[in-house]
Amino acid sequence: MRIDLITVLPGLVRSPLDHSILQRAQDKGLVDVRVHDLRDWGLGSYRQIDDLPYGGGGGMVLRPEPLFACIEACIEELQNDLGEPYDEIIYLTPDGETLNQPLANRLSLHKNLLLIAGHYKGIDQRVRDTFVTREVSIGDYVLSGGELPALVLIDAIARLIPGVLGDANSALSDSFQDGLLDAPAYTRPPEFRGLGVPPVLTSGNHEAILAWREEQRLAKTQQRRPDLFPPEHEESVE
Ligand code: 6GU
């Protein structure tokens, strides 16, 4: 999958992309993330990218010219590299649809995504009207910019791409993947500071272990997330 990310803070997004699962996904050639600095398309000798909002109010708005130029350059570069268009151009914004597992699943099936991380008071509406095909929020709280949400979205998508995770099954057994929270996990030692491990897990009885985990998942979901209960299995890919 090819993911282009437009940001005014390229340094902020670099480190998470260069570690752990996301790094491995890129090293394996399964995900190709390219970060584009909007400032490169800024206006004049000050490379201006933002301005005061028409109609007043606080904060700054990203101007349309640098974003139009950057987005059009990305579209052209993708066409030159792969001969393909973006499947989605996604603007990260608190007023977008809330990210959940079914949406991550759906987006992970695409080949080419362009993500736009806004900043300040947002971006000029004409950019949204012209290019953006989907607007995504990562939850009902306000962050300072779209960079962290873009990284959250990239992580949620990349780990679903076949071959990215070591264990082919582990993405499927995640909390939320089938609408239930995950069961408790234990590892060695079997006793630590007087704290034991549920005997079933060391019993060697695989059927009993599966039954125990299912029981734990149901109980935890009912207790912590009654809004998810009963789980809607049909919704997992949509
Ligand atoms: Cl996508 N952007 C910002 N600035 N804040 C958020 C968000 C996005 N999602 C939740 N809060």
Side-chain angles (χ1 to χ4, degrees):
M1 174 184 283
R2 160 83 164 253
I3 301 176
D4 290 281
L5 169 57
I6 298 174
T7 171
V8 298
L9 296 170
L12 177 59
V13 301
R14 210 54 264 178
S15 170
L17 296 172
D18 290 345
H19 286 87
S20 189
I21 303 287
L22 289 176
Q23 179 188 42
R24 187 140 46 88
Q26 291 172 96
D27 289 347
K28 285 185 178 174
L30 297 169
V31 182
D32 179 7
V33 183
R34 303 188 185 193
V35 179
H36 305 268
D37 187 350
L38 185 64
R39 185 73 63 179
D40 291 344
W41 302 93
L43 304 168
S45 49
Y46 291 100
R47 307 235 147 192
Q48 186 192 356
I49 51 174
D50 59 349
D51 217 322
L52 297 166
Y54 279 128
M60 300 289 269
V61 176
L62 290 177
R63 291 177 58 126
E65 307 95 313
L67 274 166
F68 267 67
C70 185
I71 293 166
E72 282 166 349
C74 285
I75 290 170
E76 195 176 322
E77 195 175 301
L78 182 66
Q79 190 59 232
N80 289 337
D81 288 354
L82 303 178
E84 294 167 351
Y86 288 108
D87 298 298
E88 299 261 20
I89 297 183
I90 301 172
Y91 174 47
L92 284 305
T93 173
D95 58 9
E97 72 181 293
T98 308
L99 179 63
N100 56 17
Q101 194 60 51
L103 178 56
N105 292 350
R106 240 180 301 138
L107 294 175
S108 76
L109 300 173
H110 287 317
K111 274 203 72 184
N112 308 302
L113 299 177
L114 176 58
L115 308 184
I116 303 167
H119 231 256
Y120 315 107
K121 260 297 172 205
I123 66 177
D124 190 282
Q125 182 63 37
R126 289 167 287 189
V127 177
R128 298 166 77 160
D129 295 341
T130 305
F131 294 108
V132 172
T133 61
R134 186 184 286 278
E135 302 191 330
V136 174
S137 161
I138 63 164
D140 292 339
Y141 43 84
V142 179
L143 299 169
S144 314
E147 282 76 17
L148 297 175
L151 291 166
V152 167
L153 181 60
I154 291 171
D155 188 297
I157 291 171
R159 61 195 304 288
L160 296 170
I161 295 170
V164 168
L165 291 186
D167 176 357
N169 293 319
S170 58
L172 285 176
S173 64
D174 287 335
S175 279
F176 290 106
Q177 196 49 275
D178 63 3
L180 288 175
L181 303 184
D182 232 343
Y186 292 87
T187 186
R188 292 186 294 177
E191 193 177 313
F192 174 68
R193 296 193 179 180
L195 303 171
V197 170
V200 64
L201 293 179
T202 51
S203 68
N205 183 340
H206 193 59
E207 241 172 62
I209 292 170
L210 288 180
W212 178 83
R213 286 201 173 127
E214 189 67 8
E215 192 183 292
Q216 293 287 318
R217 302 181 70 208
L218 289 166
K220 191 194 267 191
T221 307
Q222 199 155 32
Q223 185 194 21
R224 295 190 176 182
R225 295 294 303 273
D227 57 304
L228 296 177
F229 211 86
E232 293 176 40
H233 291 278
E234 313 80 51
E235 151 181 74
S236 66
V237 183
E238 282 186 357

